[in-house]
Amino acid sequence: SVRWSESHYYTVLEPLRSAGLAIGSVVPEGELVVVSAGGLDCRSPHLLYRARRYGWSIPDHHLQPDLIERLEKEGATWLAMVAADPPSGPLGRWVRELPTREINLPGGELRLFIYHRAERPVPLFKNGFEAETGPGWSRQDLELLKSSANAARRNRPAKLQ
């Protein structure tokens, strides 16, 4: 029925709404963020929509260091997690040294943990773009890669509508 649908499908999930707004206030525009909140589906817009940021929504049971590192290669520099406690196990050890911002969410049961990955950037090449001593990279290859990266930055939307 319509009444049931309105009460179940169209309710605002308050902790996620607040978390999304907080992510938007901490993560600069144009930055890509990996978000996680419980078993939230990868198609869920709850956090990224409210944050007005692009990125990936990953269920917490899939959130592992190797996945985050692969998303870093795609441009992710922020990790935001909605949970009662900070991560433990391999993920907890992996984020331990990162700059962290912790925000209490309404209701007092959940907190938002925001980690900034820019402090540990992953280099594209061992010696950088400018090095001419790269393994098998010609100057022409490096120029092509630099121009592709610059074109991708120019074509990325500056802000969500």
Side-chain angles (χ1 to χ4, degrees):
S1 76
V2 171
R3 184 181 188 122
W4 186 89
S5 296
E6 286 178 345
S7 66
H8 288 81
Y9 291 131
Y10 298 103
T11 59
V12 174
L13 302 174
E14 181 48 45
L16 297 181
R17 184 191 74 80
S18 296
L21 293 173
I23 292 167
S25 69
V26 173
V27 176
E29 285 188 35
E31 299 276 343
L32 298 175
V33 60
V34 176
V35 298
S36 180
L40 217 55
D41 187 79
C42 62
R43 296 165 294 225
S44 172
H46 287 93
L47 293 170
L48 292 173
Y49 173 78
R50 294 288 183 186
R52 298 283 201 206
R53 299 295 179 266
Y54 289 110
W56 298 267
S57 181
I58 309 292
D60 62 354
H61 58 275
H62 289 299
L63 201 58
Q64 297 295 324
D66 62 327
L67 174 61
I68 299 169
E69 287 172 353
R70 287 193 313 235
L71 294 174
E72 276 185 332
K73 292 177 183 174
E74 299 296 323
T77 55
W78 294 85
L79 170 63
M81 301 174 60
V82 176
D85 298 306
S88 59
L91 184 60
R93 288 188 298 276
W94 192 79
V95 298
R96 187 177 317 154
E97 302 300 320
L98 295 176
T100 306
R101 179 128 184 228
E102 186 178 323
I103 300 169
N104 292 321
L105 297 174
E109 297 174 14
L110 296 174
R111 295 180 284 175
L112 174 64
F113 300 93
I114 301 177
Y115 303 95
H116 189 212
R117 290 286 297 159
E119 300 299 318
R120 283 195 306 193
V122 178
L124 184 57
F125 300 106
K126 185 176 180 179
N127 298 320
F129 275 125
E130 304 306 323
E132 295 182 36
T133 61
W137 293 97
S138 70
R139 189 169 224 7
Q140 184 179 6
D141 291 335
L142 294 174
E143 290 302 317
L144 179 62
L145 286 168
K146 282 171 50 175
S147 65
S148 296
N150 290 335
R153 278 191 209 97
R154 283 192 304 271
N155 292 331
R156 185 186 301 170
K159 63 167 97 168
L160 297 171
Q161 299 300 323

